[in-house]
Amino acid sequence: MIEWLWKGGPVMIPIAVCSVVALAATIERFWSLRRERVVPQGFCVELIELLRQERYADALTACRKRDSAISRILEVAIEARHEPRSMIKERVEEVGRREAADLERYLGVVALIGSIGPLLGLLGTVSGMIRTFDAIESGGIGRMEFVAGGISEALITTLFGLAVAIPAVMAHRYLAARVDGLLVDMEEVSIGVVDLLVGERAREAAK
């Protein structure tokens, strides 16, 4: 494998860098996009129960103790519970946009590597073919060791470019779908909490 890296020529350096960056970004996103870290079900159930009991101080404390996207969103909703529904929703959406941007962090990097991997492989292919034709021009077909070196460089860079790009594209598609699913869950929980807060306030006003 190391021998192949050497034979691939200078283009193998950016390809190797891209592979490391893509792997690191993918592992980090897999860790960060766990459901328990973003929308923990147990926390949501506990918080809704506290709100139904009108224990708003305890609910705020629970949100502040939990380091998750949904807890930060719901904390804002609870703090704004005395505001009109439109205002609560606006503040929730504002925080939700920030949390969504955080969930999508590094996905652009993975997508970029999935796009440029084949281009780097193509660059290596062109470089290898130029080297091959230079060898043919200098020594003719008889100097097969130089011709083979250029062809080898072209094929190796193509191989490694695709080997980096294909997993990166697959990882990006999976992670993007996971982000979409988590955003839907966050939206459903947030809307439910906003409706609950507005409903509780309406019942208090009717008493």
Side-chain angles (χ1 to χ4, degrees):
M1 182 65 72
I2 299 298
E3 184 180 354
W4 281 21
L5 293 177
W6 284 114
K7 286 183 177 180
V11 178
M12 289 300 298
I13 296 174
I15 291 177
V17 171
C18 285
S19 68
V20 173
V21 172
L23 180 62
T26 300
I27 291 174
E28 192 277 338
R29 284 294 86 190
F30 268 103
W31 176 259
S32 298
L33 295 178
R34 290 174 297 141
R35 188 172 300 276
E36 187 60 26
R37 186 179 177 89
V38 181
V39 194
Q41 184 176 4
F43 165 78
C44 294
V45 172
E46 176 189 356
L47 189 76
I48 289 173
E49 185 59 31
L50 289 173
L51 294 177
R52 283 174 177 162
Q53 297 174 15
E54 300 183 19
R55 295 165 56 186
Y56 301 119
D58 292 338
L60 282 172
T61 300
C63 288
R64 289 162 184 164
K65 285 183 177 179
R66 193 80 185 215
D67 183 20
S68 65
I70 194 64
S71 65
R72 290 185 284 272
I73 293 173
L74 298 185
E75 179 183 352
V76 170
I78 297 169
E79 288 176 340
R81 64 186 181 275
H82 300 300
E83 302 289 341
R85 188 184 192 280
S86 59
M87 185 66 68
I88 300 174
K89 188 177 178 182
E90 181 179 339
R91 294 185 63 180
V92 165
E93 288 176 349
E94 180 182 349
V95 178
R97 282 191 292 270
R98 290 203 300 266
E99 295 299 331
D102 187 63
L103 294 181
E104 293 171 350
R105 185 174 51 179
Y106 303 139
L107 290 191
V109 173
V110 179
L112 177 63
I113 291 173
S115 298
I116 68 174
L119 296 178
L120 289 173
L122 179 61
L123 178 62
T125 300
V126 173
S127 174
M129 295 310 295
I130 291 173
R131 191 175 144 200
T132 299
F133 286 115
D134 283 345
I136 293 173
E137 184 180 6
S138 300
I141 299 296
R143 303 183 64 183
M144 288 304 297
E145 67 275 12
F146 296 106
V147 174
I151 295 174
S152 177
E153 177 182 333
L155 295 177
I156 288 172
T157 52
T158 301
L159 171 65
F160 277 88
L162 292 174
V164 170
I166 292 171
V169 171
M170 294 173 63
H172 177 262
R173 293 289 176 86
Y174 173 82
L175 292 171
R178 186 153 187 81
V179 168
D180 290 341
L182 291 171
L183 290 176
V184 169
D185 291 345
M186 289 166 56
E187 184 178 4
E188 288 178 353
V189 174
S190 301
I191 292 175
V193 167
V194 170
D195 290 340
L196 182 61
L197 291 171
V198 173
E200 291 292 343
R201 191 176 63 200
R203 281 191 288 272
E204 288 178 4
K207 290 180 182 179

